[in-house]
Amino acid sequence: MKVLHVIGSAGVGGAEKHVLDLCMQQKASGLDVHVALPATGALGIALAKHHIAYTLIHAGGRWHPLALWSLRRTIHRIQPDIIHAHMLKSATMVGRINRKVPCVVTAHNIVKHLGPFRHCQHVICVSDMVRDSLCGLGYPAPKISVIHNAVDTQMFSTAKREAVRSQMAWQDQLVVTCVARLVPAKGQTFAINALPDLVAAIPNIKLVFIGDGPDHAKCEKLAHGLSVENHLALMGSRTDVADLLAATDIYLQPSIKEGFCIAFLEAMATGLACVGTHTGAIPSMIRNGENGILIKPADISAIVDAVSKLAHDYTLRTRYAQAAKITANTQFSPEKQATDTLKVYQQIVTL
């Protein structure tokens, strides 16, 4: 089977990681895989590293005539058996120019309108919450599957913990990490607002944000106003996320809204005690009180209580960390994701 993946960005976010991981699994299983994307970027470099073919289509909006023309040419040249579009822009573009090749779309975030999905045969949702948003708009449930994203668990461990902590001068600190873009939906400001109470309870706490975004200056200003700037590290975008996770004591995802949240799963795969909010697929990963802690979004007191509980109970922290790693290894493996996705392909190709 020949598969053409189409994605409208080439950065380092969750959707791009999803495409790379899925392509690697599909190639290993014998599928003929090709990717269409608008620029080389980090995704293109990673695809080339793993010998996965890709084509650059013209960059532009979802209605840009040259972008549509170049995508149409790519489809005609590749002659795929199935097209797999990722996110709304790509789904819209494929739907605009394609009526012959079966198409599946992965919805990575909450769906607000049906336009991008009108001309596809099936939608894969990365979480129950995304599926519910699609069904709530009237999309037929039989044409929807929930397939959780996966993570290559072999890439994540605490093996480099002491070396990285020494390098970062974190040896005597309780490190609480969040990996996410600095945008309102990720909820970092609520974590900063929790810092004064956390510092009072845990004087050696260091809150580490990995990722950049438009809220960078806002986070700096808020921390300064609360006099906790010495307890906050804004690391920006990093290529050594796995190493920084290895050096972490507690992982915190204070998101207000999520689709899946691969970063949270990576923290679990590392073997960290995790605190996450009731949003996106996080409740599918964490069973509260068994392999981590679930809290309400935008609840500063809950952040303080959860982090303080884990900080002061090493035995509990270790138990949650071990259970989280087992969950990541068994329920969110790349192999399961690839197998479930192939079943969808086979279903719609034979329609």
Side-chain angles (χ1 to χ4, degrees):
M1 183 183 295
K2 184 178 291 187
V3 184
L4 175 63
H5 291 272
V6 182
I7 185 166
S9 60
V12 292
E16 292 81 12
K17 288 183 180 179
H18 166 79
V19 170
L20 176 62
D21 292 343
L22 187 55
C23 285
M24 290 170 60
Q25 284 294 318
Q26 290 178 342
K27 184 172 184 280
S29 67
L31 297 185
D32 187 348
V33 183
H34 201 100
V35 181
L37 67 165
T40 301
L43 178 56
I45 293 171
L47 290 169
K49 177 182 177 181
H50 294 283
H51 307 289
I52 296 168
Y54 68 89
T55 295
L56 298 183
I57 58 175
H58 195 284
R62 63 189 70 185
W63 305 114
H64 195 289
L66 287 178
L68 294 171
W69 173 79
S70 60
L71 178 57
R72 183 184 292 110
R73 281 192 62 189
T74 299
I75 294 172
H76 180 75
R77 179 173 61 84
I78 300 299
Q79 293 289 303
D81 298 302
I82 191 165
I83 298 172
H84 190 156
H86 299 266
M87 300 191 297
L88 302 185
K89 177 182 176 181
S90 300
T92 302
M93 293 175 66
V94 173
R96 174 89 171 161
I97 63 171
N98 171 69
R99 294 292 187 276
K100 295 181 179 180
V101 183
C103 177
V104 58
V105 175
T106 292
H108 292 267
N109 292 294
I110 301 300
V111 178
K112 297 181 180 179
H113 55 93
L114 292 179
F117 308 99
R118 294 194 186 279
H119 299 293
C120 69
Q121 281 66 49
H122 203 90
V123 180
I124 294 173
C125 296
V126 298
S127 71
D128 293 340
M129 186 174 291
V130 174
R131 177 201 59 198
D132 293 345
S133 70
L134 192 57
C135 288
L137 294 172
Y139 198 83
K143 295 176 63 176
I144 302 173
S145 297
V146 175
I147 301 177
H148 294 130
N149 285 346
V151 63
D152 184 356
T153 55
Q154 296 182 1
M155 294 177 57
F156 298 91
S157 75
T158 56
K160 295 183 179 180
R161 175 179 170 80
E162 297 307 325
V164 178
R165 287 177 70 87
S166 177
Q167 176 187 345
M168 303 301 298
W170 289 348
Q171 300 98 315
D172 300 319
Q173 294 178 315
L174 190 287
V175 179
V176 180
T177 298
C178 172
V179 181
R181 292 193 68 232
L182 299 179
V183 294
K186 300 299 184 178
Q188 288 98 340
T189 56
F190 294 97
I192 296 173
N193 276 305
L195 257 184
D197 287 341
L198 285 171
V199 170
I202 315 162
N204 64 330
I205 191 171
K206 173 70 77 171
L207 181 61
V208 176
F209 290 163
I210 303 172
D212 212 342
D215 277 3
H216 187 107
K218 181 179 180 180
C219 289
E220 283 186 328
K221 183 177 180 181
L222 179 59
H224 183 77
L226 295 170
S227 300
V228 293
E229 64 270 21
N230 292 334
H231 294 272
L232 176 66
L234 298 175
M235 306 292 289
S237 296
R238 303 279 298 208
T239 59
D240 58 346
V241 173
D243 289 347
L244 295 174
L245 286 175
T248 294
D249 295 293
I250 298 168
Y251 188 82
L252 171 65
Q253 198 79 44
S255 302
I256 308 305
K257 182 177 69 173
E258 283 286 356
F260 181 81
C261 195
I262 284 181
F264 195 84
L265 184 56
E266 291 176 345
M268 293 176 65
T270 301
L272 300 179
C274 298
V275 178
T277 51
H278 282 276
T279 183
I282 293 175
S284 300
M285 305 179 205
I286 289 293
R287 298 180 301 278
N288 188 46
E290 295 183 26
N291 63 346
I293 298 177
L294 281 174
I295 60 176
K296 293 180 180 179
D299 191 331
I300 296 169
S301 296
I303 293 174
V304 173
D305 291 345
V307 173
S308 297
K309 182 178 182 179
L310 291 174
H312 292 125
D313 191 336
Y314 179 78
T315 300
L316 181 66
R317 196 161 83 230
T318 301
R319 178 159 62 85
Y320 283 172
Q322 292 172 343
K325 190 172 184 67
I326 291 171
T327 299
N329 283 331
T330 58
Q331 297 181 26
F332 297 89
S333 69
E335 294 81 7
K336 185 177 188 302
Q337 178 193 46
T339 298
D340 292 347
T341 302
L342 180 58
K343 289 178 181 177
V344 171
Y345 291 176
Q346 292 169 334
Q347 174 187 335
I348 68 171
V349 166
T350 57
L351 287 177

